[in-house]
Amino acid sequence: MDTQLRRGAQQGAAHDPGTNVERTDTRESCIEALLNLGIRSSQARLIRRYFRDMRAGKPSLADACAVAGVSAEMLARALSRVLGANYMSFFDLALIDEQAMRQMLEDRTRAGDALKTLLSTAGEESYVPGYAWNPKAGTSKGIVVVASETAYHNVRRMVDSRGWTIMVGSPRTLRTIYRRYLAPGSVDFDREYEQLARRAREVSGTGVDLESGGADGSTLERMLVGVLRAAAFSAASDIQCIPFGEARGGAIKFRVDGVYETFRYLEAGIYQRLINRLRDLTQVTTETLSKKILTEGSFINAEGQDSPYFKALRTVLAQFLFRVEVGAAKMGCTVTIRILDREGVTADFRQLGFLREDADYLAHLMDYSAGLILVTGPTGSGKTTTLNGMLSLVDPEPRSVQSIEFPVEYIDPRRLQYEVPTTSESEEGKAREIFKGVLRNDPDTVQIGEIRDAGMARLSFDASNTGHLVLSTLHTRDSVSAVTRLRELGVPNAEIASELLCIIGQRLVRKVCPYCSEDDTREDTHRMIGLFGYGGGAKPKKASSDGCERCHNTGYRGRVMVYEVLRMEQRLRQAIEAGGAPSALESIGRPKRRSMWGFGLLLVAKGEITIDELHLSVPPMDIDESRRATDNEGSDT
């Protein structure tokens, strides 16, 4: 191994990846680059003041930016400009060529040796090597993604000599690449499963304990940690354990990009034992299940336990939050686990996927001192990400931002964040209690995780009416349906019309795989695109039925936001106050291409998503409505 590279990597690993910048001159250059990228001058002043006031504690630029409300992605963009390197956005991860990386790791060629040499000294805390797909050239090229100035200089000579490219990414981007494609698993699930299955066959009918003879803790526990790691590191949002009956075993499934896929099938005896162990570790008893068919659990505190299993569990629990729901179904015990990244950071608002016109409009609303902004959609549609991205636009110096969340998903040092305890009998009641306390806590802007009942709706409108900017979410079909839902919760039409600033409806739709997608020549696709005025130059795609290795044979890779913004303009306010029906509100507030369906068709025309996925994910407009929307386009502008 290259001695200089090894020494440099060790030095780089000694620095916090969030440090990003070591020298004062580079730090000042980064601040100037951030100003050129659009941060406010007040934010630059806060960054410099942080370094002045915290100099005894060796402050990092990442910490200073976090306090000033500058995202890690924005900082990575600035650092890339200062270093003269390319920038890799967190949203560019779909370009990572997993197949090329896997092939190179198995090769004994010079290219393979280069990747293995870099990988042996890298990690999620310093830099990560890999391969990225270039859609224009149609080829893959070796890359090294760094998050700090130190790591950049450490690997530059090695990378340049091999013709690879250095890219700058945020610490979150590094962690995700490392975990998803390169992290060595501490538990080989398949190996443990085969060992347990073989043991089950050996002791069948003998009365011997299936797990007797284990050398360093329970095989079941090692399998459990393996499942949690595999799901979390593959960017799954949920794990679901499904029983097939006492004699048939069960399946473990992961939800990735909004779609469930089977991780493994388990034999009957092993499935039941794994579920029983999981129930023990989440403190859900048989007695509890007999009283409540579905009950929530949480992993036990593993502190003080020294077995290899508990050490591995503590590591996973420190990085991810797992919300567990255990149920007693007809076929057996079910378990559903929601996965939240504890190290998640607020996304750069301008990279969420809004059109520039809509992004500018929403950014303008965040300067308001009072009013209510709602984001609607089903579970897993990205509502919380959008809310936090919008809150990142609030100037943190003159305003107090406070939140009530179920739970806190994005840690932001600039605001006061209060988490509703999941152990409380009534989350809604506890949330209302916290909300009342927050309103006595002198806030300017308030984020509420979700408006779930009439009491929370009443408090939200009262807060808006008394001079607070309030942001929250609703579970409704689309933006217009949110008005109907507020009426059902007892909010008068006059208050809805006067207090609402806008309603965002959104979904996350799977993107077609760029490696194996095919041209969509279907007449219906082109007719629908044409009805919305996107026919000229349209290049719609459809997913390959067989997919490829890069998309795990699904035909899809990554997701993109499809949205609509219902702007509370004068005519719409008047219609709401008059008690207008949803159809009337829709015709006034969502003209032309402003619906989710209209924006989705724009992405279909660009070849980013398929019309099939649009049909599956987004409430459609019928063809007659589509035609009227297009025909009226000229008169509505």
Side-chain angles (χ1 to χ4, degrees):
M1 185 188 305
D2 188 290
T3 304
Q4 182 177 4
L5 179 63
R6 184 192 296 112
R7 185 184 305 117
Q10 290 169 349
Q11 292 171 352
H15 290 285
D16 181 346
T19 301
N20 292 93
V21 176
E22 307 298 334
R23 299 196 307 268
T24 302
D25 57 339
T26 308
R27 183 178 72 215
E28 281 301 315
S29 297
C30 276
I31 295 174
E32 291 301 321
L34 286 169
L35 285 167
N36 291 332
L37 286 169
I39 72 166
R40 294 182 292 270
S41 58
S42 61
Q43 290 176 295
R45 287 197 299 272
L46 283 176
I47 293 172
R48 292 188 173 103
R49 179 171 180 176
Y50 184 88
F51 275 97
R52 186 192 70 195
D53 294 348
M54 305 287 285
R55 56 184 178 275
K58 297 182 179 179
S60 72
L61 185 56
D63 289 340
C65 285
V67 170
V70 177
S71 72
E73 292 296 327
M74 181 75 82
L75 177 55
R77 289 173 62 192
L79 182 60
S80 69
R81 292 190 175 190
V82 172
L83 297 177
N86 293 322
Y87 163 64
M88 171 165 276
S89 163
F90 182 79
F91 299 96
D92 291 334
L93 291 178
L95 296 177
I96 294 292
D97 193 337
E98 181 181 1
Q99 183 183 26
M101 291 169 68
R102 188 165 55 248
Q103 288 175 345
M104 289 298 99
L105 285 170
E106 295 171 355
D107 278 354
R108 296 186 177 180
T109 61
R110 286 188 62 191
D113 289 341
L115 178 58
K116 283 176 275 193
T117 298
L118 285 163
L119 180 58
S120 66
T121 57
E124 57 181 300
E125 302 301 339
S126 50
Y127 58 83
V128 289
Y131 281 80
W133 173 259
N134 185 333
K136 294 182 179 179
T139 58
S140 292
K141 184 176 182 179
I143 61 169
V144 174
V145 185
V146 302
S148 70
E149 181 188 13
T150 301
Y152 173 82
H153 292 299
N154 286 340
V155 300
R156 184 172 180 180
R157 181 178 299 178
M158 170 70 101
V159 169
D160 287 349
S161 66
R162 286 175 167 83
W164 287 22
T165 299
I166 299 181
M167 306 186 75
V168 177
S170 67
R172 180 192 182 197
T173 300
L174 259 73
R175 285 195 298 267
T176 303
I177 295 173
Y178 184 79
R179 292 172 179 176
R180 195 177 298 179
Y181 305 113
L182 299 170
S186 64
V187 178
D188 186 332
F189 179 89
D190 290 324
R191 184 189 65 230
E192 300 293 345
Y193 176 70
E194 287 301 323
Q195 177 182 325
L196 199 60
R198 185 169 57 252
R199 180 67 175 162
R201 290 190 291 269
E202 291 172 355
V203 303
S204 177
T206 66
V208 177
D209 180 12
L210 180 60
E211 296 183 73
S212 63
D216 58 348
S218 167
T219 301
L220 286 172
E221 292 170 343
R222 294 196 298 272
M223 287 174 60
L224 176 58
V225 173
V227 170
L228 297 177
R229 283 174 57 90
F233 286 9
S234 64
S237 60
D238 301 88
I239 304 171
Q240 197 167 69
C241 302
I242 303 174
F244 297 151
E246 187 174 343
R248 294 194 182 98
I252 299 175
K253 302 177 75 173
F254 297 165
R255 186 189 287 275
V256 180
D257 289 339
V259 177
Y260 271 113
E261 56 187 42
T262 299
F263 171 64
R264 295 291 186 274
Y265 292 109
L266 304 181
E267 296 177 14
I270 296 177
Y271 175 84
Q272 192 56 52
R273 284 178 170 83
L274 188 66
I275 295 302
N276 289 342
R277 189 64 185 122
L278 181 56
R279 281 174 45 191
D280 292 341
L281 292 168
T282 54
Q283 308 172 84
V284 176
T285 64
T286 303
E287 181 182 357
T288 303
L289 280 179
S290 67
K291 296 176 181 178
K292 293 180 66 177
I293 292 179
L294 286 167
T295 186
E296 190 168 354
S298 58
F299 282 98
I300 63 175
N301 188 344
E303 294 299 327
Q305 302 285 346
D306 293 327
S307 72
Y309 156 70
F310 276 109
K311 290 180 180 178
L313 178 61
R314 280 199 299 272
T315 300
V316 175
L317 295 181
Q319 296 171 340
F320 300 92
L321 173 66
F322 299 94
R323 302 193 71 175
V324 184
E325 188 85 10
V326 181
K330 188 69 175 177
M331 299 295 284
C333 187
T334 66
V335 178
T336 301
I337 303 175
R338 188 73 190 276
I339 305 172
L340 300 171
D341 189 349
R342 292 183 186 272
E343 298 174 339
V345 294
T346 301
D348 189 332
F349 174 73
R350 294 287 178 176
Q351 293 184 326
L352 291 178
F354 289 106
L355 296 175
R356 177 175 295 180
E357 173 192 0
D358 292 323
D360 291 343
Y361 170 74
L362 295 173
H364 174 66
L365 292 184
M366 294 309 297
D367 289 330
Y368 280 40
S369 61
L372 178 61
I373 298 172
L374 293 177
V375 183
T376 72
T379 300
S381 58
K383 301 185 297 295
T384 303
T385 300
T386 297
L387 274 188
N388 281 277
M390 293 177 67
L391 281 172
S392 70
L393 301 175
V394 177
D395 191 335
E397 184 71 353
R399 298 168 73 176
S400 172
V401 183
Q402 304 183 31
S403 65
I404 305 107
E405 303 179 56
F406 308 80
V408 174
E409 295 185 31
Y410 299 90
I411 301 296
D412 189 337
R414 303 175 308 133
R415 41 181 150 129
L416 304 178
Q417 297 176 284
Y418 301 97
E419 185 169 276
V420 179
T422 57
T423 54
S424 57
E425 290 188 8
S426 171
E427 284 191 14
E428 291 77 11
K430 192 65 176 177
R432 290 195 297 272
E433 179 185 328
I434 296 173
F435 196 175
K436 291 176 182 178
V438 164
L439 293 179
R440 296 190 296 268
N441 212 28
D442 194 27
D444 295 296
T445 302
V446 180
Q447 176 197 355
I448 307 163
E450 181 185 345
I451 296 176
R452 296 183 175 181
D453 58 18
M456 190 62 83
R458 182 69 267 153
L459 285 171
S460 301
F461 277 84
D462 286 347
S464 170
N465 196 34
T466 54
H468 304 87
L469 180 63
V470 181
L471 292 85
S472 190
T473 70
L474 271 178
H475 281 235
T476 63
R477 181 175 182 266
D478 54 24
S479 59
V480 173
S481 300
V483 176
T484 303
R485 177 60 179 153
L486 291 172
R487 288 169 172 171
E488 293 171 351
L489 292 175
V491 183
N493 285 322
E495 286 193 59
I496 297 174
S498 65
E499 297 303 324
L500 272 180
L501 297 178
C502 81
I503 306 173
I504 303 168
Q506 67 180 65
R507 297 288 193 280
L508 292 178
V509 179
R510 289 195 295 174
K511 297 171 67 175
V512 67
C513 176
Y515 304 102
C516 62
S517 61
E518 304 169 356
D519 291 337
D520 187 349
T521 58
R522 291 174 292 184
E523 182 179 339
D524 287 347
T525 301
H526 286 267
R527 185 178 73 252
M528 183 62 72
I529 291 173
L531 286 172
F532 276 74
Y534 299 132
K539 297 179 180 179
K541 298 287 185 180
K542 65 179 181 179
S544 167
S545 57
D546 297 325
C548 64
E549 288 189 15
R550 294 185 177 95
C551 62
H552 301 286
N553 303 109
T554 63
Y556 298 93
R557 188 178 171 95
R559 290 191 291 178
V560 65
M561 179 175 67
V562 173
Y563 75 94
E564 63 189 17
V565 178
L566 189 68
R567 305 187 182 200
M568 299 300 293
E569 297 167 345
Q570 188 63 29
R571 286 180 59 210
L572 182 58
R573 292 185 187 277
Q574 292 172 348
I576 292 174
E577 189 168 7
S583 57
L585 303 183
E586 187 171 312
S587 64
I588 295 172
R590 290 194 314 197
K592 306 177 294 184
R593 309 167 187 174
R594 288 188 186 175
S595 67
M596 274 190 279
W597 186 252
F599 180 71
L601 282 175
L602 173 63
L603 299 183
V604 171
K606 291 180 176 180
E608 294 185 29
I609 65 175
T610 68
I611 199 165
D612 307 290
E613 282 296 301
L614 186 62
H615 274 292
L616 287 172
S617 306
V618 175
M621 299 173 67
D622 63 46
I623 292 180
D624 290 338
E625 288 180 358
S626 302
R627 188 179 299 279
R628 285 201 301 271
T630 306
D631 291 344
N632 293 337
E633 182 175 347
S635 62
D636 199 56
T637 54

